[in-house]
């Protein structure tokens, strides 16, 4: 009897605690849930992630992200290895992964001068290049019509000064190739959102070139829905003002703005070294790889602050931004461990190589502190 009385006395406390636990569980939100009203939060997937090789990594991806881009496997050299042969084995798996997990699927990329199959780089004839573009774009976009939500139709067509890059496409077809690429993609899937994607296109000279390029595509009758700013950024640059000016300038053209490959390097850059010859071999140099074991707290804090100011800006302009995609899930996977110097240890993302959220993650989440 005494025991029952005791239990009755404790009952309100037990109920309170259990409600609180449920509420807490509800509050354990993710990036994608925190930002679901503003924009998609995406990540780039490598082959192992598409094939769900690592269960811990897989559950992190599903929990945190609602948009995916293939880091490499949809590039020309992989999907179109020879003139009469397409290989969709991996891209089919990538699409299935996105569909199964109800994710926004972004296609990267149709027309890019890099990672071309060797046979493509050999095309010199105008008619042959026209035929290639038609076949390549129509085949790939039609195959995934209604499945791929948006495409990087043309990637990195600009030089840093805003002029057009002398690629195999420009050299054969002139600037008309840009208009044609967008027309062909729109014809193959009128509902997919079509993007032009580049790096450093937030910088004034390249931005101006990018704006001219967008106008050219529109004037030529191409359908273009958005611009992708890759956002391979540094701790100190670009400035928030420069990024903001770009969001405003691109959206003033009636385009959606997506941040498509976000990461922030914390390592020294060979181009910043006075008199450094970038062709010099820096591999194995301790000076160029200062944090091989652990990121010092002071830099961890800087990275977290940098991410916070960037996401603050993204929130301010949420109505203009369609998607923010990180270029990789965790630090261990980042291309920045091997570029511009091979074999370094970089820390550019929100999760460390053991999949633990970093201070930068907490900062990005804090901006959306969801008290229910
Ligand atoms: O697949 C081979 C593998 O068989 C080989 O053993 C290994 C040895 O190095 O190389 C593997 O290929 C690498 C490939 O990534 C797949 O991992 C290439 O060397 C490497 O150069 C390639 O790098 C990719 C790079 O694009 C190529 O330009 C990066 O992973 C990828 O993150 C990067 O992504 C680009 C975007 O597509 C466009 N914007 C810039 C961004 C960063 O460069």
């Amino acid at each position: 009897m005494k025991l029952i009385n005791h239990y009755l006395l404790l009952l309100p406390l037990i109920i309170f605690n259990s409600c609180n636990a449920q509420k807490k569980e509800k509050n354990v939100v993710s990036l994608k849930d925190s930002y679901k009203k503003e924009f998609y939060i995406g990540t780039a997937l490598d082959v192992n992630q598409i094939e769900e090789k690592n269960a811990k990594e897989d559950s992190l991806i599903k929990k945190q992200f609602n948009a995916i881009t293939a880091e490499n496997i949809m590039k020309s050299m992989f999907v179109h290895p020879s003139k009469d042969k397409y290989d969709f084995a991996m891209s089919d798996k990538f699409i299935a992964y996105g569909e199964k997990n109800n994710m926004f699927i972004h296609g990267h990329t149709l027309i890019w001068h890099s990672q071309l199959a060797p046979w493509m780089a050999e095309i010199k004839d105008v008619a042959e290049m026209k035929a290639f573009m038609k076949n390549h774009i129509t085949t790939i976009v039609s195959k995934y019509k209604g499945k791929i939500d948006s495409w990087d139709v043309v990637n990195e067509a600009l030089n840093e000064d805003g002029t057009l890059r002398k690629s195999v496409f420009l050299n054969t077809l002139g600037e008309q190739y840009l208009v044609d690429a967008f027309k062909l993609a729109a014809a193959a899937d009128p509902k997919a959102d079509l993007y032009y994607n580049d790096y450093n296109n937030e910088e004034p000279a390249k931005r101006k070139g990018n704006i001219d390029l967008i106008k050219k595509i529109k004037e030529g009758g191409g359908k273009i829905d958005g611009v992708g700013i890759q956002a391979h950024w540094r701790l100190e640059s670009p400035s928030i003002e420069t990024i903001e000016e770009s969001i405003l300038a691109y959206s003033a053209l009636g385009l959606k703005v997506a941040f498509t490959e976000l990461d922030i390097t914390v390592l020294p850059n060979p181009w910043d070294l006075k008199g450094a010859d970038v062709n010099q071999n820096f591999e194995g140099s301790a000076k160029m790889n200062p944090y091989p074991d652990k990121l010092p707290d002071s830099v961890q804090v800087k990275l977290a602050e940098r991410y916070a100011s960037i996401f603050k800006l993204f929130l301010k302009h949420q109505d203009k931004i369609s998607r923010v995609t990180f270029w990789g899930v965790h630090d261990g996977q980042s291309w920045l461990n091997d570029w511009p110097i091979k074999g370094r240890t970089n820390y550019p993302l929100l999760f460390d190589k053991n999949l633990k959220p970093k201070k930068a993650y907490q900062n990005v989440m804090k901006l959306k502190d969801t008290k229910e």
Side-chain angles (χ1 to χ4, degrees), residues 71-72 75 78 108 112 114-115 155-156 230 232 261 327 335 342:
E71 186 179 0
N72 282 299
K75 294 172 181 172
F78 298 113
H108 175 76
W112 188 28
S114 185
Q115 286 181 293
N155 196 43
E156 301 173 9
Q230 292 184 5
H232 294 295
E261 306 182 11
W327 206 237
W335 72 292
K342 263 195 182 302

Side-chain angles (χ1 to χ4, degrees), residues 38-96:
E38 285 80 20
F39 35 74
Y40 287 108
I41 297 278
T43 188
L45 300 183
D46 66 18
V47 176
N48 290 333
Q49 291 159 342
I50 293 168
E51 293 192 326
E52 300 172 58
K53 289 270 168 67
N54 178 321
K56 257 182 87 185
E57 222 169 291
D58 192 45
S59 74
L60 178 79
I61 295 166
K62 288 171 184 164
K63 180 174 173 190
Q64 298 288 346
F65 303 101
N66 52 15
I68 50 170
T69 305
E71 186 179 0
N72 282 299
I73 57 100
M74 293 206 74
K75 294 172 181 172
S76 303
M77 64 185 286
F78 298 113
V79 287
H80 198 173
S82 53
K83 191 170 177 184
D84 302 314
K85 187 176 168 254
Y86 285 90
D87 181 351
F88 291 119
M90 274 314 296
S91 51
D92 282 351
K93 286 188 187 177
F94 166 73
I95 304 296

